[in-house]
Amino acid sequence: MTSQDTPTTPWLSIILAAGLGTRMKSALPKAAHAIAGRPMLAHVMATSAEAKADSMAVVIGAEMNVLCDITQEANPNAKCFVQNERLGTAHAVLAAKDAIQGAEGHILVLYGDTPLVRTETITRLLAALDGGAAVAVLGFEATDPTGYGRLLRDENGALLAIREENDANEQEKAVRLCNSGVMAFRAETMLKLLERIGNDNAKGEYYLTDVVAIAREQGLRVVVETCDEDEVLGVNDRSQLAEVEAIIQKRLRAAAMKNGTTLIAPETVTFSYDTRLAPDVIVEPNVVFAPGVTVEAGARIHAFSYLEKSHVHAGALIGPFARLRPGADIGEGAKVGNFVEVKKATVEAGAKLNHFTYIGDARVGAKTNIGAGTIVCNYDGFKKHFTDIGAGAFIGSNSALVAPVKIGDGAVVGSGSVITRNVAPDELAIERSEQLHVPGWAARNRKKHGK
């Protein structure tokens, strides 16, 4: 198998996510914090799935039920294991002993707070095992190696050991080839290696990294695969969370442009992990794509718009300063303009919602025009109600449509109307008080006030 092939040997992904993340200063477990709209743990699970993992085991700490919920949502077949005491990485892996004993092929250890590892990197690690190694370690050349375990090699480049910084001498600390923590094992030898790990070190913990020296003592082959430092950046505090977010956003922007999307100011656009943009979409500056957004070919998203769980069809125009909330479905060639909010509504082909409008729990028919300041009154304080606006209708500015109500095809609603009853097709509906004129009133009022 080459490094670019899909793995053919069965393999188990063990994801360590028991860390409290005290430096995050959060009630959430560290691995539950999101990047690009998805928890870090779910990112790691998704990468494992993309690399064709046959099974997954997630190791969490006590009282971390939220991580089990994330695990089940990401993969209902994945299993959670609890590490009740935090006694090191090898101890954490052994919390999933039942999964290890039942595994065939290979086992890969990943981390729930290291979400940027690429699928192709996983593939290369597993390929090294197929090539005869018993253990494959993922390393990187660190710009500043402080705090990392060092990968120590002999004059021929063979890996001798991984030395944690607290246990390293000055010469070893000068080494820049560092351990990412990600390691792959042959399933048939993994438990035997793990059970020989002791805790005779500065912290009194069971280090997974000790497995390298143990494997070599047994005459087993240990290899190193390398990747870019950014790929194995872990998250321990909010600053690192922001740094990881910046990296994944850069990846997502690059992928979008490679696929044919124009980003006028790429660094200002925020994507989610599942944003789908077709070729020839144009995105202006300062647009946010929350999870669940699809935009079809030829659509344009104007500046300062926010989209979430929405579908924008071909050739539609969104914004500037538009907000599409969950359930918004904007038809081909439709326009959702300045300061318009759409929620759980279908806006059919060619319809126009140009200015200062709210449409929720509704249908707007094809080629209908909604005047500025129009709102759909969909909530009565207890329940949401539906508004149906037919094709080719014209709703005058500053109108309020009180749901449930139906506006027929081709109907016209006069400006400033509050519509509480259905309007038949091609009818004109006007609801407003009669305009009152009082001659001379303004002059008399000024005189009264000495003006």
Side-chain angles (χ1 to χ4, degrees):
M1 181 172 89
T2 70
S3 62
Q4 300 302 314
D5 290 334
T6 300
T8 55
T9 304
W11 67 280
L12 162 69
S13 175
I14 297 179
I15 303 168
L16 304 186
L20 290 171
T22 53
R23 282 182 280 170
M24 299 291 287
K25 300 189 185 304
S26 174
L28 277 178
K30 182 167 55 170
H33 286 264
I35 60 167
R38 178 166 63 177
M40 289 191 288
L41 172 58
H43 277 280
V44 180
M45 295 182 69
T47 303
S48 295
E50 289 166 8
K52 308 300 182 186
D54 294 88
S55 54
M56 296 185 205
V58 177
V59 178
I60 65 172
E63 299 181 356
M64 289 186 174
N65 292 336
V66 64
L67 292 181
C68 266
D69 294 341
I70 291 169
T71 297
Q72 289 303 298
E73 183 176 351
N75 184 343
N77 295 318
K79 295 182 179 179
C80 278
F81 297 89
V82 178
Q83 182 190 20
N84 289 306
E85 295 182 89
R86 292 175 177 83
L87 299 177
T89 47
H91 182 263
V93 173
L94 280 171
K97 186 174 181 178
D98 288 348
I100 296 170
Q101 288 175 326
E104 297 180 358
H106 304 326
I107 298 173
L108 180 65
V109 177
L110 296 164
Y111 295 83
D113 62 356
T114 308
L116 298 177
V117 177
R118 296 180 184 272
T119 303
E120 51 266 35
T121 299
I122 289 175
T123 300
R124 284 192 288 111
L125 276 174
L126 298 174
L129 300 183
D130 283 338
V135 180
V137 176
L138 182 62
F140 64 98
E141 289 285 340
T143 305
D144 177 6
T146 304
Y148 293 109
R150 310 304 203 273
L151 300 183
L152 306 181
R153 295 180 292 181
D154 64 18
E155 61 276 7
N156 297 317
L159 185 62
L160 298 173
I162 304 175
R163 189 81 73 236
E164 296 298 330
E165 185 167 58
N166 288 340
D167 301 305
N169 60 37
E170 290 306 312
Q171 183 180 359
E172 291 168 343
K173 287 180 180 178
V175 173
R176 289 180 54 201
L177 182 62
C178 294
N179 177 39
S180 71
V182 176
M183 301 176 70
F185 301 83
R186 284 183 174 274
E188 68 267 20
T189 58
M190 185 176 184
L191 270 181
K192 295 176 184 178
L193 295 173
L194 291 177
E195 289 169 348
R196 292 193 57 191
I197 294 174
N199 65 344
D200 184 16
N201 52 62
K203 288 188 175 181
E205 293 185 351
Y206 298 87
Y207 293 148
L208 184 61
T209 50
D210 288 349
V211 80
V212 172
I214 293 170
R216 284 182 58 85
E217 288 172 4
Q218 296 185 5
L220 299 175
R221 184 178 167 214
V222 182
V223 300
V224 177
E225 291 287 340
T226 60
C227 66
D228 292 337
E229 185 173 1
D230 283 352
E231 193 172 339
V232 288
L233 180 65
V235 174
N236 293 298
D237 57 32
R238 304 283 182 159
S239 294
Q240 290 175 335
L241 184 69
E243 189 176 350
V244 167
E245 180 73 44
I247 293 168
I248 199 167
Q249 289 298 330
K250 187 175 181 180
R251 288 185 186 179
L252 292 169
R253 293 165 190 149
M257 290 186 286
K258 184 178 180 180
N259 194 45
T261 294
T262 295
L263 304 181
I264 293 175
E267 69 282 0
T268 71
V269 178
T270 300
F271 285 100
S272 287
Y273 70 99
D274 61 349
T275 305
R276 299 288 180 266
L277 305 181
D280 292 322
V281 168
I282 298 175
V283 181
E284 294 182 4
N286 298 297
V287 171
V288 175
F289 295 99
V293 175
T294 297
V295 182
E296 295 186 6
R300 187 176 187 117
I301 314 299
H302 291 285
F304 294 97
S305 295
Y306 179 95
L307 298 80
E308 179 181 4
K309 295 181 180 177
S310 302
H311 192 136
V312 178
H313 291 263
L317 302 176
I318 308 298
F321 296 98
R323 185 184 184 196
L324 301 187
R325 291 171 59 193
D329 191 306
I330 312 303
E332 186 172 345
K335 173 68 187 293
V336 175
N338 310 14
F339 303 101
V340 174
E341 180 176 344
V342 180
K343 189 266 315 183
K344 198 179 179 181
T346 299
V347 178
E348 295 181 354
K352 295 181 180 179
L353 291 66
N354 279 322
H355 319 284
F356 303 99
T357 291
Y358 170 70
I359 301 293
D361 298 281
R363 176 185 77 98
V364 177
K367 297 185 178 180
T368 281
N369 187 88
I370 306 293
T374 294
I375 64 168
V376 167
C377 307
N378 57 326
Y379 183 52
D380 65 6
F382 300 95
K383 295 180 180 179
K384 298 289 182 71
H385 301 279
F386 188 76
T387 296
D388 188 86
I389 305 171
F394 185 94
I395 310 300
S397 297
N398 202 35
S399 295
L401 309 180
V402 182
V405 70
K406 182 173 182 178
I407 312 298
D409 293 348
V412 174
V413 172
S415 296
S417 297
V418 178
I419 300 300
T420 59
R421 293 180 292 145
N422 291 347
V423 179
D426 294 320
E427 274 190 342
L428 167 65
I430 304 175
E431 190 285 322
R432 63 169 78 113
S433 299
E434 182 180 355
Q435 188 166 318
L436 177 66
H437 294 249
V438 182
W441 182 91
R444 292 193 300 272
N445 187 58
R446 286 192 296 273
K447 183 177 181 181
K448 177 180 176 182
H449 291 89
K451 301 294 184 179

